[in-house]
């Protein structure tokens, strides 16, 4: 066991973890932040995406020890003071979620995309989200939501 | 209270359930942890077919953190039952289908890769997994049965009960009569079709937690199911012999199902039983690799079909012979899918007078096959619409005209098909017209010329379909072999201050019931959806339910809510009659207010609720206090959503890469409660249909090894594989349920695959290509082009 420390959703956390623990398992099990989901075991689905130091990353693809000292934002940390992030609002308004399982990872990937390229095209969005699988929505409304959020985030 | 009308039927009310999902506060089964819980890991067969000589668990039992290890022998000794099948079919001569047992853990033999052999329960998941590696399994390989055509030749059987691997050989229609029609036909079009095997892949893998409470003898199962009451019934009555009052099944937020979470799975029974053995909660979380080899698969039909036409292009007969894969064991509804969800749809939207459908269900050494979004109806639609497309080409009649010529006309409803079903309503020309217009079919030639300039072959494909939802009268289903009823239950509880909680037997795993069902109440009681709560997914809270599958939630579950609301209004009227001293017949209810005709007397619904719970001025001698009603609704017929899908593709002839560049759907889902949700359901269905047509295909090698066992090998549709969709509705009301609703959950997956493949065939028709198999991957398309050269 090693002790790992990081900032998660603005709060300093410190916990014991086996060195082979994945960041996704640490978030779900040690921190009980169950909004981050695990949908596969080959780092293909994107349900587990979180922000680490400002970039989206599949949290099942790194060990928790690699996030030592990092600033991590999970889905639970997106809204501030009860005010939804524009991406959350846009997903709600555009019916961009059905079962909600892919949604946390999808939104965090989308936020990273928009942060990096505020003027992205529909093709950019579709290409940029190809690491996040959604089985429910057929992506149409997800694309619409990301476009709407991008406009507002620029705003 | 805010105005109810804004949230009634027909409004795109934003979803009430979204907030918890977008803030990470959903409560999925894997998010649940019970005090002192243990973790289960299943050791699964990595061989497709073998005799199981013995399992030595001694080393595993001593491994670190291990609490218990169980094998099939332990379950047999404890007289634990097998997983039951919920639908009994017969052979053509009336003999019952072959129904071999399906043990919770393998006994005697393993029958597919993924068949569970033992379960290890330990303090952590890691320890359970590590200990499982210590189990020694003594297996003797047997020849593997994978290909259905070879399977029915016999030689090696999956089950001793079915030597030729035939579970049943069933038919509907008069073969001699249909053959005679084909003899005299002016034209016969034939096709060989494979409805490719699919893996449902809801994004949330299955999870089950068994929690036995020693002090009371109560069992709780938390599980990712679409129908908690059905699981309670099947597992309680047939597997573990736990009476309903001692067994609670909870299915909280569920991350998609698409059919694969209807069925009762062995893991559910295993964790529930094991929890009582060790007197601690037992949690199992499937990983994705495990899901690929343990969730029931879908489709997998091999079909020969023909359509007979007269010289004018009128359909005069249709026949099919289909081999339907059941896999290694019968899953809950496996036998019903290729028969009562498939053959009875073979008329499609057409007036074909005689039809013969012969289904041979086959055991193979593969994962069990059962319902997957559409379940039998996509297979039927694909056969019919490929046949129609080919017939039009062969006879030189336009795709649209041949369809119109054979549509069941608008004035022919109710329409009795030759294959049992009677369609109540529909307007197939209307959905076709809308799709042609919205898809700008008139502009296709110009777009094709434009594509050609870029070296791309553009094609257009059509599909006009009908399906059957909201199954169905229980008595009819029972006569056809169903071992359960097919009604739904709702309990409407009006609280003293007038807000409402509805307890529904339907289950939402993405469909938005918390919003759409609240809209039903909003419409009827004239109150805002804010004041209405929909509760589902817990057998302890909800009186009963058959759950959600086959697009039945609104048509059957919604109708049950409507019936319960009628009872609430009837009782309210009696209360109002007493308080306002008016005859019941004079009391009108509209917009949340009771009024007495010809007077200015009025009473708001909330006041009635209060009077019911504070019965000071109340007709207690005739009426019980309180305002809560339960209704069970048993439909009198299926509902028949229908529509037209038009697809345009561009094929790169040098690589075979196919892109869907335009997809237009016009569907008739009956009354639309929430247009936004309906559109979303159609989008998702189309994506799965395009997935089947272009990308997805489960593949086994000759040894029964699953070649597509992860997202590296099984191609899921991703954002950059799919287009935007143009969807619209063109509704006719269902005539036999109180809401006029039909269903929308499956239409996308049912209508779309033939539209896509017909479009590819169209694009390649100038090259002489007449058929392309699903999934039309670049390699498949490229090979089809080369073969035609
Ligand atoms: S769980 Fe991380 S990509 Fe699937
Ligand atoms: S909303 Fe269900 S997987 Fe995306």
């Amino acid at each position: 066991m090693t002790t790992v420390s990081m900032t998660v959703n603005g709060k300093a956390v410190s916990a014991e973890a086996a060195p082979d623990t994945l960041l996704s398992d640490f978030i779900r099990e040690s921190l009980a932040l169950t909004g981050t989901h695990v949908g596969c075991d080959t780092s293909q689905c994107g349900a587990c995406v979180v922000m680490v130091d400002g970039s989206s990353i599949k949290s099942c693809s790194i060990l928790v020890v690699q996030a030592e000292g990092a600033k991590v934002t999970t889905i639970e940390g997106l809204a501030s003071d009860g005010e939804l992030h524009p991406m959350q609002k846009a997903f709600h308004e555009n019916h961009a979620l059905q079962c909600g399982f892919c949604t946390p990872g999808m939104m965090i990937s989308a936020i990273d995309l928009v942060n990096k390229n505020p003027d992205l095209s529909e093709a950019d969005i579709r290409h940029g989200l190809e690491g996040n699988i959604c089985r429910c929505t057929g992506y149409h409304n997800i694309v619409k939501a990301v476009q709407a959020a991008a406009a507002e985030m620029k705003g | 209270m805010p105005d109810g009308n804004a949230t009634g039927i027909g409004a795109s009310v934003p979803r009430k359930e979204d907030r918890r999902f977008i803030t990470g506060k959903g409560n999925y089964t894997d998010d649940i942890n019970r005090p002192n819980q243990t973790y289960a890991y299943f050791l699964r067969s990595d061989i497709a077919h073998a005799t199981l000589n013995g399992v030595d668990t001694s080393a595993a039992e001593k491994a670190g953190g291990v609490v218990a290890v169980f094998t099939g022998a332990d379950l047999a000794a404890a007289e634990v039952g097998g997983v039951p099948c919920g639908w009994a079919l017969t052979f053509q001569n009336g003999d019952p289908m072959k129904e071999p047992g399906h043990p919770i853990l393998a006994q005697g033999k393993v029958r597919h890769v993924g068949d569970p052999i033992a379960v290890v329960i330990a303090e952590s998941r890691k320890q359970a997994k590590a200990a499982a590696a210590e189990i020694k399994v003594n297996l003797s390989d047997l020849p593997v049965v994978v290909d259905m055509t070879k399977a029915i030749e016999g030689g090696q059987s999956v089950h001793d009960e079915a030597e030729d691997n035939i579970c049943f050989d069933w038919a509907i229609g008069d073969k001699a009569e249909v053959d005679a029609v084909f003899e005299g036909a002016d034209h016969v079009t034939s096709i060989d079709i494979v409805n490719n095997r699919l893996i449902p892949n809801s994004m949330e893998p299955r999870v089950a937690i068994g929690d036995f409470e020693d002090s009371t003898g109560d069992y709780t199962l938390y599980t990712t199911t679409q129908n908690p009451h059905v699981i309670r019934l099947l597992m309680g009555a047939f597997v573990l012999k736990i009476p309903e009052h001692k067994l609670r099944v909870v299915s909280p937020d569920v991350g998609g199902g698409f059919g694969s979470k209807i069925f009762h799975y062995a893991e559910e029974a295993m964790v529930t039983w094991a929890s009582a053995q060790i007197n601690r909660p037992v949690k199992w979380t499937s990983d994705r690799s495990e899901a690929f080899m343990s969730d029931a698969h879908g489709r997998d039909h091999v079909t020969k079909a023909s359509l007979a036409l007269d010289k004018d292009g009128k359909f005069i007969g249709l026949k099919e012979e289909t081999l339907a894969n059941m896999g290694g064991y019968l899953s809950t509804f496996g036998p019903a899918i290729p028969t009562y969800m498939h053959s009875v749809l073979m008329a499609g939207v057409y007036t074909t007078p005689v039809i013969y459908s012969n289904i041979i269900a086959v055991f193979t050494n593969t994962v069990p096959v059962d319902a997957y979004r559409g379940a039998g109806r996509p297979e039927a639609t694909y056969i019919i619409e490929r046949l129609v497309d080919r017939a039009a080409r062969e006879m030189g009649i336009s795709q649209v005209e041949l369809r119109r010529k054979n549509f069941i006309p608008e004035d022919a409803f109710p329409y009795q098909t030759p294959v049992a079903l009677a369609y109540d309503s529909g307007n197939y020309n209307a959905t076709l017209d809308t799709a042609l217009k919205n898809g700008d079919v008139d502009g296709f030639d110009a777009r094709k010329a434009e594509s050609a300039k870029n070296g791309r072959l553009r094609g257009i494909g059509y599909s006009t379909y009908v399906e059957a939802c909201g199954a169905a009268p229980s008595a009819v289903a029972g006569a056809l072999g169903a071992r359960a009823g097919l009604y739904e239950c709702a309990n409407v509880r009006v609280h003293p201050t007038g807000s409402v909680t509805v307890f529904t037997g339907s289950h939402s795993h993405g469909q938005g019931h918390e919003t759409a069902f609240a809209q039903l109440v909003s419409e009827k009681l004239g109150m805002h959806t804010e004041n209405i709560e929909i509760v589902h997914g817990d057998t302890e809270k909800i009186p009963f339910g058959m759950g959600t599958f086959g697009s039945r939630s609104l048509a059957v579950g919604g109708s049950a809510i409507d019936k319960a609301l009628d009872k609430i209004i009837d009782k309210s009227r009696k209360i109002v009659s007493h308080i306002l001293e008016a005859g019941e017949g004079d009391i009108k209810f509209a917009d949340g207010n009771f009024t007495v005709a010809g007077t200015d007397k009025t009473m708001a619904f909330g006041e009635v609720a209060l009077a019911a719970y504070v019965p000071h001025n109340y007709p207690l001698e005739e009426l019980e206090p309180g305002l809560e009603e339960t209704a069970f609704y048993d439909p009198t017929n299926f509902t028949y959503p229908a529509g037209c899908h038009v697809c345009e593709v561009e094929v790169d002839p040098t690589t075979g890469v196919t892109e869907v560049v335009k997809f237009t759907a016009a569907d008739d889902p009956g009354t639309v409660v929430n247009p936004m949700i309906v559109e979303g359901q159609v989008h998702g269905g189309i994506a799965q249909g395009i997935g089947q047509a272009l990308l997805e295909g489960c593949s086994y090698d000759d040894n029964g090894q699953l070649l597509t066992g992860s997202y590296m090998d099984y191609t899921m549709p991703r954002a950059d594989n799919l287009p935007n969709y143009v969807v619209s509705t063109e509704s006719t009301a269902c005539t036999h349920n109180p809401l006029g609703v039909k269903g929308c959950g499956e239409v996308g997956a049912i209508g779309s695959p033939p539209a896509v493949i017909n479009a590819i065939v169209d694009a390649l028709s100038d090259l002489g290509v007449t058929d392309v198999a699903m999934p039309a991957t670049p390699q498949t398309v490229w090979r089809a082009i080369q073969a035609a050269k």
Side-chain angles (χ1 to χ4, degrees):
Chain A
M1 291 296 221
T2 38
T3 307
V4 280
S5 307
M6 62 187 80
T7 307
V8 177
N9 299 332
K11 273 198 272 188
V13 298
S14 197
E16 292 283 301
D20 61 350
T21 305
L22 299 174
L23 178 60
S24 50
D25 289 340
F26 180 78
I27 291 170
R28 285 186 59 79
E29 283 157 29
S30 303
L31 304 182
L33 292 170
T34 54
T36 298
H37 296 152
V38 173
C40 74
D41 45 14
T42 52
S43 290
Q44 291 274 306
C45 76
C48 63
V49 169
V50 299
M51 284 287 185
V52 175
D53 292 332
S55 276
S56 63
I57 188 166
K58 288 174 171 167
S59 63
C60 73
S61 70
I62 65 166
L63 299 171
V64 63
V65 291
Q66 293 173 278
E68 171 69 31
K71 272 203 178 65
V72 175
T73 307
T74 69
I75 182 71
E76 289 90 347
L78 278 193
S80 52
D81 302 328
E83 179 80 18
L84 293 177
H85 186 282
M87 194 62 75
Q88 291 171 304
K89 245 177 67 200
F91 266 60
H92 173 59
E93 285 165 2
N94 290 283
H95 186 32
L97 62 145
Q98 290 180 22
C99 79
F101 197 80
C102 71
T103 311
M106 191 70 79
M107 288 198 296
I108 293 177
S109 292
I111 290 168
D112 192 26
L113 270 185
V114 176
N115 283 345
K116 290 186 172 142
N117 176 11
D119 294 308
L120 73 190
S121 66
E122 186 198 320
D124 292 334
I125 296 171
R126 287 187 177 274
H127 188 65
L129 291 179
E130 62 95 41
N132 292 77
I133 307 176
C134 174
R135 191 53 147 170
C136 296
T137 64
Y139 305 101
H140 179 117
N141 286 345
I142 290 177
V143 172
K144 251 170 68 185
V146 177
Q147 286 168 326
E152 193 177 330
M153 285 161 73
K154 245 166 99 177
Chain B
M1 279 188 189
D3 183 10
N5 293 338
T7 60
I9 290 177
S12 282
V13 179
R15 297 203 322 170
K16 285 160 66 78
E17 47 271 80
D18 280 0
R19 180 89 190 188
R20 65 179 188 272
F21 296 130
I22 58 177
T23 54
K25 300 289 169 52
N27 182 36
Y28 300 89
T29 310
D30 194 45
D31 302 342
I32 296 171
N33 291 297
R34 303 298 299 158
N36 201 26
Q37 80 189 8
T38 60
Y39 296 84
Y41 180 85
F42 286 86
L43 177 70
R44 295 177 185 277
S45 179
D46 53 7
I47 291 174
H49 198 196
T51 307
L52 180 56
N53 305 312
V55 186
D56 176 0
T57 60
S58 52
E61 278 161 30
K62 291 188 208 99
V66 170
V67 179
V69 183
F70 298 109
T71 65
D74 297 317
L75 297 176
E79 293 181 14
V80 170
V83 180
C85 179
W87 205 298
L89 263 286
T90 55
F91 281 80
Q92 294 193 43
N93 65 7
D95 285 354
M97 69 179 186
K98 302 286 169 58
E99 195 175 355
H102 182 182
I104 303 298
L105 295 173
Q107 293 178 11
K109 255 188 176 189
V110 291
R111 291 187 174 84
H112 64 86
V113 167
D115 205 357
I117 295 172
V119 62
V120 181
I121 294 159
E123 299 295 342
S124 75
R125 195 171 294 148
K126 218 178 183 176
Q127 287 171 321
K129 191 171 179 175
E134 305 286 317
I135 297 175
K136 290 182 192 60
V137 184
N138 183 341
L139 293 170
S140 308
D141 282 23
L142 291 167
V144 178
V145 179
V146 176
D147 181 89
M148 286 194 280
T149 319
K150 286 191 202 136
I152 58 173
E153 289 165 4
Q156 178 62 51
S157 51
V158 177
H159 292 279
D160 296 344
E161 293 89 332
E163 242 173 71
D164 52 5
N165 295 304
I166 294 178
C167 173
F168 57 82
D169 176 340
W170 173 96
I172 189 168
D174 183 337
K175 186 166 190 304
E177 182 190 20
V178 175
D179 283 344
V181 167
F182 272 77
E183 290 283 304
D186 294 307
H187 185 89
V188 172
T189 292
S190 297
I191 198 164
D192 288 348
I193 277 184
V194 175
N195 257 290
N196 41 328
R197 187 178 179 113
L198 303 176
I199 304 181
N201 273 303
S202 61
M203 292 319 297
E204 177 204 30
R206 288 188 296 118
V207 181
I209 309 169
D211 190 354
F212 174 69
E213 176 51 54
D214 184 34
S215 64
T216 57
D218 289 341
Y219 292 81
T220 305
L221 168 68
Y222 302 87
T223 184
T224 48
T225 184
Q226 301 176 207
N227 28 233
H229 289 86
V230 174
I231 302 305
R232 186 182 64 171
L233 182 65
L234 292 177
M235 185 179 83
F238 297 100
V239 188
L240 300 180
K241 320 278 174 352
I242 305 169
E244 278 100 330
H245 70 292
K246 298 310 261 179
L247 175 58
R248 174 184 179 196
V249 177
V250 181
S251 53
D253 289 329
V254 171
F258 315 112
S260 70
K261 292 174 180 166
I262 298 171
F263 324 121
H264 176 39
Y265 285 99
E267 295 87 354
E268 295 171 319
M270 193 65 237
V271 296
T272 307
W273 181 80
S275 173
Q277 306 311 303
I278 66 169
N279 203 11
R280 289 174 65 181
V282 179
K283 179 174 186 173
W284 169 72
T285 303
S286 171
D287 58 30
R288 182 59 60 184
S289 304
E290 215 175 351
F292 272 99
M293 56 174 143
S294 68
D295 293 359
H297 293 177
R299 316 281 192 261
D300 205 350
H301 287 191
V302 175
T303 299
K304 285 188 184 311
S306 308
L307 177 67
L309 303 94
D310 72 11
K311 61 181 187 325
D312 301 321
K314 268 294 224 190
F315 304 162
I316 56 174
L318 187 150
K319 58 183 170 187
E320 74 158 318
E321 282 168 19
T322 287
L323 298 179
N325 208 333
M326 294 287 105
Y329 301 99
L330 291 180
S331 177
T332 311
F333 287 129
I337 307 309
T339 51
Y340 291 111
M341 300 307 287
H342 170 85
S343 299
V344 295
L345 265 305
M346 290 307 291
V349 290
Y350 309 113
T351 53
T352 317
V354 293
I355 293 170
Y356 176 71
S357 167
N358 172 213
I359 307 296
I360 297 177
V362 185
F363 290 115
T364 58
N365 291 120
T366 62
V367 171
V369 181
D370 206 323
Y372 165 63
R373 201 172 196 167
R377 293 150 289 164
E379 296 90 320
T381 303
Y382 188 69
I383 296 167
I384 300 165
E385 291 304 299
R386 290 294 316 282
L387 274 173
V388 171
D389 184 276
R390 181 173 281 192
R393 283 176 201 287
E394 288 174 353
M395 295 185 77
I397 304 175
S398 100
Q399 293 291 345
V400 170
E401 279 325 301
L402 185 63
R403 285 178 166 83
R404 275 201 209 280
K405 192 190 280 280
N406 287 285
F407 276 168
I408 297 162
E410 292 83 272
D411 58 10
F413 294 97
Y415 179 81
Q416 177 63 54
T417 72
V419 274
L421 296 181
Y423 305 160
D424 65 327
S425 67
N427 186 340
Y428 308 139
N429 281 299
T431 44
L432 174 61
D433 289 338
T434 302
L436 295 179
K437 181 165 136 279
N438 292 352
D440 182 28
V441 169
D442 289 343
F444 172 73
D445 289 341
R447 291 192 293 278
K448 185 177 164 93
E450 202 52 43
S451 299
K453 282 189 204 151
N454 303 317
R456 298 283 193 277
L457 303 173
R458 196 173 185 112
I460 188 163
Y462 304 85
S463 159
T464 47
Y465 72 91
V466 63
E467 57 132 337
C469 291
S474 291
V476 174
L480 300 180
R483 288 167 169 163
L486 286 166
Y487 47 82
E488 195 46 271
C489 171
N491 169 270
V492 174
R493 181 175 299 165
V494 181
H495 302 288
T497 58
S499 65
V500 171
T501 303
V502 176
F503 300 86
T504 171
S506 300
H507 187 276
S508 184
H509 26 282
Q511 295 91 336
H513 295 171
E514 288 168 48
T515 306
F517 285 4
Q519 288 181 251
L520 302 180
V521 182
S522 168
E523 176 79 22
K524 202 125 184 181
L525 297 185
M527 65 171 67
H528 196 279
T529 51
E530 267 172 21
N531 302 302
I532 303 154
E533 194 72 20
I534 306 296
V535 176
H536 62 85
D538 187 343
T539 60
E540 195 155 274
K541 294 181 182 161
I542 294 131
F544 200 71
M546 294 310 296
T548 288
F549 51 87
S551 305
R552 70 195 302 276
S553 297
L554 194 56
V556 191
S559 295
I561 294 173
D562 192 75
K563 270 188 73 177
L565 288 168
D566 281 341
K567 293 188 190 179
I568 293 281
I569 293 169
D570 283 351
K571 182 169 181 182
S572 299
R573 191 172 274 122
K574 291 195 171 72
I575 299 170
V576 172
S577 153
H578 173 88
I579 295 174
L580 296 185
E581 298 173 343
E584 263 181 63
D586 293 333
I587 295 167
K588 302 268 165 303
F589 180 59
D591 301 325
N593 280 302
F594 291 90
T595 50
V596 180
T599 74
D600 58 359
K601 288 187 188 172
T602 165
M603 214 174 153
F605 180 73
E607 297 175 275
V608 181
L610 194 63
Y613 286 94
V614 187
H616 295 165
N617 175 15
Y618 194 89
L620 281 168
E621 41 311 320
E622 296 138 43
L623 213 55
E624 294 169 11
L627 200 51
E628 173 167 345
E629 296 289 349
T630 300
F632 284 73
Y633 174 77
D634 201 292
T636 56
N637 192 353
F638 285 86
T639 64
Y640 300 98
C644 174
H645 291 186
V646 182
C647 176
E648 278 181 42
V649 297
E650 270 192 350
V651 179
D652 180 341
T654 56
T655 61
V657 170
T658 301
E659 195 187 339
V660 174
V661 287
K662 203 170 167 63
F663 198 101
T664 311
D667 301 297
D668 174 2
T671 305
V672 173
V673 172
N674 184 317
M676 175 195 81
I677 291 177
V678 170
E679 280 181 20
Q681 288 295 306
V682 176
H683 291 166
I686 294 171
Q688 290 181 357
I690 295 176
Q692 170 166 23
L694 292 186
L695 305 164
E696 299 179 44
C698 167
S699 151
Y700 281 96
D701 72 9
D702 292 344
N703 296 318
Q705 289 297 324
L706 180 60
L707 299 178
T708 48
S710 82
Y711 290 145
M712 317 284 280
D713 319 294
Y714 186 89
T715 315
M716 292 285 281
R718 294 169 186 261
D720 57 351
N721 300 129
L722 295 168
N724 283 313
Y725 323 99
V726 180
V727 306
S728 61
T729 56
E730 198 62 58
S731 288
T732 60
C734 169
T735 60
H736 56 80
N737 66 42
L739 299 166
V741 298
K742 296 183 178 179
C744 66
E746 295 166 292
V747 296
I750 290 167
S752 58
V756 177
I757 298 297
N758 287 341
I760 300 175
V761 170
D762 183 55
L764 304 182
S765 59
D766 291 343
L767 304 178
V769 172
T770 57
D771 190 24
V772 175
M774 296 193 292
T777 60
Q779 192 190 75
T780 300
V781 173
W782 185 84
R783 282 182 192 277
I785 295 170
Q786 303 315 308
K789 273 185 181 167

